[in-house]
Amino acid sequence: MIRLHGYWRSTASYRVRIALNLKGVDYDQVTHDLRTGEQAADDYREIAPQGLVPALETDGGIFTQSTAIMEWLDEVFPDPPLLPADPPGRAQVRAMVALVACDIHPLNNLRVLQSLRRDLHAGDRAVNEWIARWIGEGFAALEQQVARRGDGFCFGDAPTLADCCLVPQVFGAERFDVNMAPYPRLREITARCRDLPAFADAHPARQPDADPVA
């Protein structure tokens, strides 16, 4: 039994969906609408004390934090591997993952944007500039890393955890109209990944809790 607690537009949940799909793991989904604060409900906090998505319920326990969940998946379901076999390669991929998951995403997730508006009275223009700034700085660095180590994907010639993180973050950038022109390698990798069923099926628009298309 594997149950993913998430939200269709959460980029962290999106990462885990990709990893689950790449591994060919069947799972159920439980949605928690971040816009209405469902993730803060007491019954969900018993599962995920921070009140954040994603959380993964398994027979072996409950896991939180998307990067920890993905590494658990890679250890329990080793084929195909999402981390390189050699220690230097694993370190490089983990650095790419951290660049997105630790340096870009936390500054642009919903609770931070809500705080900017509520606590600092930032308007839409200021919030959008904030989003573009941190995505841009992170993507500029990732573009360089990919230039050194990529061969069709972020690292090497097959998807890794770095690609699981990149594609959802590009989705977030597109959602907020961030200019992606300066990052041709990231755009090329994202397009290649989106052609793969594991990535395509994980797209937010294809999730059962997605908003209906007008």
Side-chain angles (χ1 to χ4, degrees), residues 33-47:
D33 195 326
L34 305 186
R35 296 167 298 187
T36 61
E38 290 181 1
Q39 74 280 9
D42 290 342
D43 58 347
Y44 181 61
R45 283 189 179 272
E46 291 184 10
I47 296 170

Side-chain angles (χ1 to χ4, degrees), residues 55-68:
L56 196 72
E57 282 191 272
T58 78
D59 292 335
I62 299 172
F63 308 109
T64 59
Q65 296 294 335
S66 63
T67 55

Side-chain angles (χ1 to χ4, degrees), residues 96 142-150 154 185-186 189:
M96 293 178 182
L142 186 58
E143 180 83 5
Q144 294 183 39
Q145 292 182 3
V146 167
R148 299 189 195 110
R149 304 306 302 266
C154 286
R185 293 181 179 87
L186 302 188
I189 291 167

Side-chain angles (χ1 to χ4, degrees), residues 15-182:
R15 296 171 198 152
V16 175
R17 293 196 300 265
I18 294 169
L20 285 161
N21 292 348
L22 286 169
K23 296 293 186 178
V25 175
D26 291 330
Y27 62 98
D28 296 324
Q29 293 197 60
V30 180
T31 187
H32 304 273
D33 195 326
L34 305 186
R35 296 167 298 187
T36 61
E38 290 181 1
Q39 74 280 9
D42 290 342
D43 58 347
Y44 181 61
R45 283 189 179 272
E46 291 184 10
I47 296 170
Q50 279 186 289
L52 300 175
V53 296
L56 196 72
E57 282 191 272
T58 78
D59 292 335
I62 299 172
F63 308 109
T64 59
Q65 296 294 335
S66 63
T67 55
I69 292 170
M70 292 191 297
E71 291 224 19
W72 177 85
L73 287 168
D74 205 41
E75 292 176 2
V76 175
F77 304 97
D79 186 38
L82 299 181
L83 283 169
D86 62 299
R90 290 199 297 273
Q92 288 287 343
V93 169
R94 286 178 171 132
M96 293 178 182
V97 167
L99 193 157
V100 175
C102 301
D103 295 337
I104 297 177
H105 172 254
L107 291 169
N108 294 293
N109 67 14
L110 181 61
R111 61 178 179 165
V112 168
L113 302 183
Q114 288 176 336
S115 181
L116 288 173
R117 293 185 173 99
R118 180 185 63 246
D119 302 330
L120 300 180
H121 310 293
D124 288 344
R125 179 177 177 180
V127 169
N128 288 339
E129 288 176 351
W130 170 275
I131 292 168
R133 172 186 175 183
W134 298 115
I135 291 178
E137 288 192 11
F139 276 1
L142 186 58
E143 180 83 5
Q144 294 183 39
Q145 292 182 3
V146 167
R148 299 189 195 110
R149 304 306 302 266
D151 183 16
F153 295 90
C154 286
F155 184 96
D157 60 0
T160 66
L161 297 183
D163 303 284
C164 294
C165 289
L166 170 64
V167 172
Q169 192 59 64
V170 172
F171 167 79
E174 292 169 342
R175 181 181 163 213
F176 290 104
D177 296 321
V178 175
N179 180 18
M180 290 295 297

Side-chain angles (χ1 to χ4, degrees), residues 183-201:
Y183 321 112
R185 293 181 179 87
L186 302 188
R187 288 188 286 112
E188 179 183 346
I189 291 167
T190 298
R192 181 172 293 108
C193 287
R194 284 173 170 170
D195 284 338
L196 300 177
F199 287 81
D201 291 343

